[in-house]
Amino acid sequence: MDLDINGVRHSVQSDPERRLLYVLRDELDLTGTKYGCGEGQCGACTVLLDDAPIRSCLTPLSAALGKKITTIEGLERKGKLHPVQEAFMDVDVMQCGYCNSGMIMSAVALLQRKPVPAEAEIRSALQGNLCRCGTYPRILEAVHLAARMANGAQHD
Amino acid sequence: MIDFEHPEFEQPGFERAGFEPERYELHAAPLYSFVPDRRDFLKLLGGGLVVLVALPGAKAQESGSGRGGVGVPQDIGAWLHIAESGAITVYTGKVEMGQNIRTSLTQAVAEELRTTPTQISLVMGDTMLTPYDRGTFGSMTTPQMAPQLHRAAAAAREMLLDLAAEEWQQGKSALTIADGAVRNTSGATLSFGELTKGRKLTKTIAADALVTSASEWTIAGRDLKKVNARAIVTGQEKFISDIRLPGMMYGRVVRPPAFQASLASADAQAARAIPGVVAVRDGDFVGVACDDSSKLDRAAAAIKTEWKTVPQTNSRELYGYLKSHPSRGGTAVQWQPVDSGKSIEASYNVAYIAHTPLEPRAAVARWKDDQLTVWTGTQVPFGVRSELAQAFGVPEDHVRVIASATGSGYGGKHTGECAVEAARLAKAAGKPVKLMWTREEEFTWAYFRPAGVIDIRSGALDDGTITSWQFHNYNSGNAAIRSPYNIPNQIAEFHAADSPLRQGSYRGLAASANHFARESHMDELAHAIGMEPAAFRLKNASDPRLRAVLEASTERFRWGSAKTRPNRGFGLMAGFDKGGYISCCVEITVNNGKVTVDRVVQAFECGAIVNPEQLRNLITGSIVQGLGGALTEAIEFDNGRITNPHLAQYRVPRFADVPQIEVVMLDRKDLPPAGAGETPIVGVAPAIANAIFDAAGKRIRSMPLRLS
């Protein structure tokens, strides 16, 4: 089976019912996508499937065939980070950082859909992503900042 | 001497209560701590300059230019190496779990060496490379390890200045040090690398060497962003569960259906028939290792097991159970009469909760002959080394534990069960094995924050003076058990019980339970004598630091403002633990029996602030995490089974639950810094309980707080 991951074609031999998360992590060593619960409840495994955020721990491989898969490793373009990644660093969001990959992917999907989201829209889009260190207020701040950065607004 | 004893803890009323060892954090140091490689290791470091910090009790000695005869004292807290390239490496047994000590400790070293943080790297929590450390808990890194690193770096700075003075034949006092180089009066510079080139210097310093005082800090005391942030946001940071070794297999443990079950029979024939699967039975341990993670479910399910179970209690009967099952040697409760003033009594409950780290326990184990290396997420790498040595009957010096980055712990990753399981599977497989616990395993087979019952009897005069305070805590622990208010002859006792569930450390330990009960009860007592709750606390608080946080939080909150709607409520608390003073005010709304937290204002003071933004982040995070224990989290169990072991059933705080949070940080540059990763969590629960009473007239005495 051929998978299009971060613009690169990968051939994998696997049961089509196998969940995408384990293929990414264990077969392709793309470990930026995290296991948190295996039940679609924490968002740590979020990746984009044709720009839509999905829980890779619940998504069978068959559902990803023929679609564009984007993982946290695929956001950086020619050494330049995605505005959401930049903003997470600027705001100094992270404590343990384990939730960051999934958070960032959910936020990237939101900003693609809604370039300048309201606070309530950010909360709602990220409601399925857990941060046990409780950095939610900084994540909100970072997503606002990323929206401003992506829209070319000045920031410091 | 090193700052093990802060003078401010000697105030009347505290009786050092906050520093009694917490029973759930007691981990006996191993009987022997073999470090056979230390001298070899010092040689391995190569040339340059090494500073070792001797802990109090160890004889500090000057060893000068160490050619071979380096005397390494037994008790070394940390060491620092400046290589001939000028690279600065610090070795400490502490572990980074998101509390950002990699950053704050880097700042300590950068401060003293007058250099940029990027020149410094830290080797942490590796039992082969770092000095013995009891563990990363109890908010001890900042008060204990940071001063050691300050001292090591300060000593290294003086050595560099001596070297430069010798080189230039110039007085040391005329030299300056900045940006990784020493400069003389004529403007010539020598980089750290140039100074250490061809040298082999070792110095052991006492723990009381001179350091820069907090009021003169230029790097410490300021914001510094997380040093490994880029790796995290790009997914490159390797957490334990991301580690992959050549030829590595994947493990899974076959669990019993209930706690205390024993294995009656196991048949692994069908599992072994699957190619690439190794099945293990050893005592009550049953597990599989697979060459491909896709086989794990099938292989584990293919093992037929039968277990013998024993009847056990349940969460509905928990609180009665704890009071009626004292541990052996427990003390009996003796109530005293209240002689003067109004007297009240109340009983408070606190549920078991789970740490729920986003990365469940994980370990990668590799045997080479009888040498074992385990990468695992733990706050106590040396303790886990002992567990492994004991489990496999090998000497401790055959075991290396590397505590790499982990998706946090919150007090929940002290023990090494996952490491032992991975090592057992690896031993049978003859290959490295990675074992990642599932979320359900993490909810079931880890340990919990202790549940507890706290009974209080108190008395107060009409003018607000507290005349009696009797506080009995069953099972939850003794952290912050004593009241910080002025109460002569207060009684505060902890009564150990036989916990029906496995329990252990949790962020803040029993300080959450004890503050919940105490500060709820302070409100009840204030209402009983008809006194305003903030005024009642101030009336009984003489410690200026306690008063300062109380005044700071109420001022920012505008405590005393009128309610805008009848179903609104205001509540507050104040307290002290582990060197930190806290006061929290909340505003809530009660709607149809549902509590919404609208606003939290929390003041916190922990001596001199090391990194303001990281501290703010830790305090804010603690408030958010504390909302879970306050409102929604409770482990439910029945007959040896956890009945809500999934995130869909066990609600932890999410974005929708986050109120407006305002943090007021008081910076006391005149006091040594204390840790801040724990105490900020104790505020929200009692403040919310008091606000619920204010809004709905109902006193909820059980955590989590549920109105219906």
Side-chain angles (χ1 to χ4, degrees):
Chain A
M1 271 177 289
D2 284 349
L3 295 173
D4 172 358
I5 305 169
N6 302 327
V8 178
R9 181 170 289 243
H10 293 267
S11 282
V12 293
Q13 291 199 325
S14 188
D15 178 350
E17 285 309 298
R18 192 158 186 229
R19 306 303 181 210
L20 178 59
L21 172 66
Y22 307 102
V23 175
L24 292 173
R25 292 180 51 83
D26 297 341
E27 308 293 328
L28 304 172
D29 206 22
L30 290 168
T31 54
T33 308
K34 305 299 181 197
Y35 169 88
C37 68
E39 300 166 349
Q41 293 290 322
C42 77
C45 67
T46 305
V47 301
L48 307 186
L49 217 52
D50 280 349
D51 299 339
I54 55 113
R55 305 287 182 247
S56 64
C57 74
L58 296 181
T59 307
L61 213 49
S62 55
L65 292 177
K67 295 193 172 157
K68 205 166 66 137
I69 303 164
T70 311
T71 71
I72 188 76
E73 292 92 345
L75 290 182
E76 190 177 334
R77 294 281 152 80
K78 294 176 186 159
K80 194 168 158 39
L81 297 183
H82 189 281
V84 174
Q85 292 172 306
E86 290 282 0
F88 267 58
M89 289 177 67
D90 261 23
V91 174
D92 212 13
V93 160
M94 63 289 293
Q95 289 183 29
C96 83
Y98 194 78
C99 72
N100 274 212
S101 300
M103 284 287 179
I104 290 170
M105 296 315 290
S106 291
V108 165
L110 168 68
L111 293 185
Q112 279 175 3
R113 192 161 50 78
K114 183 95 192 185
V116 188
E119 172 113 356
E121 288 171 309
I122 303 173
R123 285 186 188 239
S124 158
L126 300 182
Q127 176 71 358
N129 286 80
L130 284 181
C131 169
R132 289 292 295 135
C133 300
T135 65
Y136 298 125
R138 284 185 183 224
I139 294 170
L140 292 172
E141 195 185 329
V143 178
H144 281 305
L145 174 61
R148 290 202 299 277
M149 287 161 76
N151 292 299
Q154 288 291 312
H155 76 281
D156 52 24
Chain B
M1 290 302 294
I2 198 165
D3 298 314
F4 288 125
E5 298 191 11
H6 296 309
E8 71 272 20
F9 300 144
E10 306 289 357
Q11 293 168 14
F14 289 113
E15 299 177 24
R16 303 179 52 76
F19 281 73
E20 282 175 33
E22 163 64 39
R23 71 189 298 257
Y24 299 120
E25 273 188 352
L26 286 178
H27 281 263
L31 199 52
Y32 304 103
S33 186
F34 302 111
V35 193
D37 296 326
R38 186 165 284 160
R39 277 178 202 208
D40 296 341
F41 168 65
L42 285 174
K43 280 185 206 148
L44 271 180
L45 285 175
L49 177 162
V50 179
V51 179
L52 305 112
V53 187
L55 290 174
K59 199 175 161 215
Q61 48 187 297
E62 298 276 343
S63 50
S65 180
R67 230 181 299 276
V70 183
V72 180
Q74 289 294 308
D75 285 318
I76 292 294
W79 59 63
L80 181 151
H81 176 228
I82 303 180
E84 292 181 80
S85 65
I88 302 158
T89 312
V90 179
Y91 297 81
T92 164
K94 294 292 177 199
V95 175
E96 170 68 59
M97 296 166 294
Q99 73 283 44
N100 283 336
I101 57 171
R102 184 178 287 279
T103 304
S104 63
L105 293 177
T106 298
Q107 284 180 285
V109 174
E111 179 64 54
E112 300 298 342
L113 277 170
R114 315 278 194 260
T115 186
T116 53
T118 47
Q119 277 186 281
I120 298 160
S121 54
L122 262 71
V123 175
M124 304 176 77
D126 181 330
T127 62
M128 197 169 98
L129 298 182
T130 65
Y132 172 78
D133 186 84
R134 274 205 330 137
T136 307
F137 53 72
S139 292
M140 294 302 182
T141 302
T142 298
Q144 294 184 0
M145 183 52 66
Q148 288 183 38
L149 296 190
H150 268 286
R151 290 176 171 103
R157 179 188 69 221
E158 294 309 310
M159 291 167 79
L160 291 166
L161 287 167
D162 285 339
L163 289 170
E166 190 188 307
E167 180 74 29
W168 283 319
Q169 292 296 306
Q170 218 176 356
K172 193 175 151 188
S173 58
L175 306 179
T176 54
I177 187 163
D179 300 328
V182 179
R183 183 179 299 267
N184 67 15
T185 43
S186 50
T189 60
L190 282 166
S191 72
F192 289 0
E194 286 167 327
L195 287 166
T196 54
K197 187 123 196 94
R199 305 280 182 167
K200 217 166 188 147
L201 295 172
T202 305
K203 182 173 186 170
T204 303
I205 58 159
D208 57 357
L210 221 61
V211 295
T212 309
S213 80
S215 57
E216 289 162 31
W217 284 349
T218 58
I219 297 169
R222 294 181 184 206
D223 294 335
L224 173 67
K225 290 193 172 150
K226 195 169 175 84
V227 290
N228 51 336
R230 192 185 167 95
I232 289 173
V233 301
T234 53
Q236 298 305 311
E237 179 86 354
K238 290 287 177 200
F239 291 86
I240 297 293
S241 48
D242 304 332
I243 293 170
R244 179 178 183 148
L245 300 181
M248 184 181 83
M249 297 176 80
Y250 298 83
R252 177 74 52 83
V253 177
V254 177
R255 300 287 175 186
F259 301 126
Q260 299 176 46
S262 51
L263 188 61
S265 71
D267 178 356
Q269 262 194 333
R272 291 202 175 102
I274 304 170
V277 171
V278 175
V280 184
R281 179 193 171 170
D282 188 345
D284 280 348
F285 176 81
V286 183
V288 292
C290 306
D291 59 356
D292 178 337
S293 71
S294 68
K295 296 176 184 169
L296 282 170
D297 292 341
R298 191 156 56 100
I303 300 186
K304 300 282 169 271
T305 53
E306 283 175 56
W307 303 84
K308 250 173 60 187
T309 56
V310 290
Q312 291 160 66
T313 187
N314 59 62
S315 36
R316 294 177 304 283
E317 290 162 13
L318 171 64
Y319 302 117
Y321 184 96
L322 291 174
K323 284 183 78 168
S324 59
H325 288 75
S327 288
R328 256 169 21 124
T331 48
V333 174
Q334 302 244 321
W335 292 103
Q336 307 296 327
V338 176
D339 296 330
S340 57
K342 177 113 181 156
S343 174
I344 61 168
E345 290 181 18
S347 182
Y348 305 85
N349 299 328
V350 177
Y352 289 108
I353 64 174
H355 307 80
T356 328
L358 198 57
E359 183 186 35
R361 281 166 171 65
V364 178
R366 181 184 65 197
W367 288 89
K368 273 193 181 153
D369 302 321
D370 60 347
Q371 305 274 329
L372 171 64
T373 302
V374 181
W375 291 258
T376 192
T378 177
Q379 301 170 232
V380 191
F382 288 86
V384 171
R385 182 180 68 173
S386 300
E387 277 185 62
L388 287 161
Q390 207 172 4
F392 295 99
V394 295
E396 292 207 345
D397 64 351
H398 287 206
V399 182
R400 177 181 184 184
V401 173
I402 304 171
S404 311
T406 184
S408 209
Y410 320 115
K413 289 181 177 169
H414 284 202
T415 48
E417 49 284 274
C418 183
V420 172
E421 291 162 355
R424 184 64 191 87
L425 292 170
K427 194 170 179 166
K431 286 187 174 162
V433 169
K434 171 153 80 180
L435 175 65
M436 290 167 63
W437 279 19
T438 63
R439 177 56 56 191
E440 184 172 352
E441 284 178 296
E442 179 67 37
F443 264 123
T444 307
W445 298 100
Y447 53 84
F448 304 100
R449 185 187 74 182
V453 178
I454 295 165
D455 292 343
I456 308 177
R457 176 186 288 181
S458 66
L461 302 176
D462 283 344
D463 72 353
T465 308
I466 298 173
T467 55
S468 177
W469 188 265
Q470 301 171 50
F471 187 102
H472 293 280
N473 174 316
Y474 301 85
N475 191 61
S476 60
N478 59 17
I481 195 169
R482 292 188 68 81
S483 172
Y485 300 103
N486 277 340
I487 309 168
N489 311 317
Q490 65 167 297
I491 294 166
E493 287 175 1
F494 165 64
H495 308 279
D498 284 338
S499 169
L501 298 186
R502 188 171 175 231
Q503 59 186 18
S505 296
Y506 188 102
R507 193 175 200 176
L509 300 160
S512 279
N514 287 326
H515 275 96
F516 167 65
R518 176 163 57 242
E519 287 298 304
S520 294
H521 196 80
M522 284 294 283
D523 245 49
E524 296 197 51
L525 194 52
H527 290 298
I529 58 166
M531 199 162 171
E532 195 282 315
F536 176 62
R537 285 174 173 84
L538 284 170
K539 165 86 185 170
N540 290 286
S542 65
D543 182 343
R545 296 174 70 186
L546 187 62
R547 295 183 68 89
V549 286
L550 194 47
E551 283 160 358
S553 68
T554 50
E555 188 188 321
R556 167 69 72 90
F557 190 77
R558 291 186 301 281
W559 183 260
S561 307
K563 286 192 212 178
T564 49
R565 283 201 296 276
N567 61 342
R568 291 246 150 152
F570 302 126
L572 63 72
M573 65 74 70
F576 165 79
D577 191 37
K578 297 183 180 68
Y581 286 80
I582 178 175
S583 177
C584 181
C585 299
V586 302
E587 178 178 349
I588 63 152
T589 308
V590 177
N591 251 334
N592 299 323
K594 191 182 177 305
V595 177
T596 306
V597 181
D598 304 304
R599 181 172 175 234
V600 176
V601 173
Q602 185 157 300
F604 190 68
E605 187 257 288
C606 56
I609 295 175
V610 177
N611 184 323
E613 274 309 301
Q614 303 289 2
L615 176 61
R616 189 179 297 278
N617 199 353
L618 269 185
I619 296 171
T620 308
S622 296
I623 291 168
V624 172
Q625 193 168 55
L627 289 171
L631 292 169
T632 56
E633 294 179 43
I635 282 292
E636 287 157 19
F637 61 98
D638 192 0
N639 205 16
R641 295 168 175 85
I642 303 299
T643 55
N644 59 342
H646 301 281
L647 286 167
Q649 301 164 320
Y650 182 98
R651 164 107 189 181
V652 294
R654 291 178 180 272
F655 271 97
D657 309 317
V658 178
Q660 179 186 335
I661 297 173
E662 295 161 52
V663 172
V664 184
M665 302 188 296
L666 306 182
D667 191 4
R668 287 290 302 266
K669 291 228 183 285
D670 55 321
L671 296 172
E678 303 190 78
T679 302
I681 201 173
V682 309
V684 283
I688 294 171
N690 295 335
I692 291 173
F693 182 77
D694 189 44
K698 256 182 106 168
R699 177 59 62 180
I700 315 290
R701 298 191 181 90
S702 197
M703 272 176 78
L705 301 158
R706 283 168 182 160
L707 257 173
S708 44

